[in-house]
Amino acid sequence: AALVLSGLRGLETRNYKHRLENFNNMQYLGRLSIGPFNVSGIFDTGSFDLLVMSTRCGHCANQKYDHSKSSTYQEDPEGLRVRHSFGSGQVISRRGYERVQAGTLVADKQEIWEIEDHDIPALDVSGCDAIVGVGPTQGPGDSRLQGEKTLLMNFAVDRFTV
């Protein structure tokens, strides 16, 4: 399977095909780099943020991302921590900024959320290191995102298909 991302750069439409791997016939995962770390992310069409399993989470099984080992990580000056709610549970995370790459697509100083705690058992048993929100725009009324761009916005992607 593949996620086909399309967008405009100037007057030229460009397409990028991102390979997705089938994990136990339950979810499709795509590889991306967050700073120097290669992670597997589940692409979530119902959310807008990029959340990554982090060493900040003491009980997380997949502690793939360690901000202290990244030369491109930037701490959030506000130290913002939030609760993300999903159908399967909740996540507590801390905002930071990092270089994110998916194949040839690159977003410097992308807003990321390091998972500090969660109550989603599937996160600890899946092959997922990140939740990649691919909602094409920021959520309505989400004041936390005012001025911040989603990953797709920074990749200049305005549509996609699986």
Side-chain angles (χ1 to χ4, degrees):
L3 179 68
V4 179
L5 305 166
S6 299
L8 293 174
R9 281 276 187 212
L11 298 176
E12 178 183 328
T13 298
R14 63 185 179 104
N15 293 316
Y16 172 72
K17 189 174 184 178
H18 194 72
R19 181 187 157 107
L20 300 177
E21 298 171 16
N22 183 332
F23 182 79
N24 293 333
N25 290 324
M26 294 293 292
Q27 57 189 329
Y28 287 95
L29 302 173
R31 305 288 298 164
L32 62 152
S33 297
I34 302 176
F37 303 96
N38 293 319
V39 300
S40 292
I42 185 162
F43 289 80
D44 180 11
T45 59
S47 66
F48 308 96
D49 295 323
L50 173 57
L51 290 82
V52 63
M53 301 295 270
S54 167
T55 55
R56 291 185 192 262
C57 181
H59 73 86
C60 294
N62 303 326
Q63 297 178 339
K64 190 70 139 196
Y65 179 80
D66 183 348
H67 71 276
S68 69
K69 294 185 175 156
S70 174
S71 63
T72 53
Y73 175 78
Q74 295 178 31
E75 190 85 31
D76 175 29
E78 299 172 28
L80 186 61
R81 296 176 71 226
V82 299
R83 179 183 314 270
H84 291 86
S85 295
F86 297 93
S88 53
Q90 296 187 349
V91 170
I92 304 295
S93 57
R94 178 185 302 264
R95 182 168 66 179
Y97 299 91
E98 182 62 275
R99 183 178 198 274
V100 178
Q101 183 168 356
T104 60
L105 305 175
V106 178
D108 288 312
K109 201 176 176 193
Q110 174 62 47
E111 178 186 62
I112 66 166
W113 296 90
E114 291 181 76
I115 295 174
E116 295 182 323
D117 194 15
H118 71 84
D119 67 358
I120 305 175
L123 284 179
D124 289 327
V125 296
S126 72
C128 174
D129 304 314
I131 301 169
V132 184
V134 291
T137 61
Q138 64 192 40
D142 191 347
S143 61
R144 184 176 46 76
L145 279 177
Q146 297 303 318
E148 300 292 345
K149 290 185 176 181
T150 67
L151 184 61
L152 290 187
M153 292 166 129
N154 280 330
F155 282 167
V157 169
D158 57 16
R159 60 192 174 279
F160 61 89
T161 60
V162 178

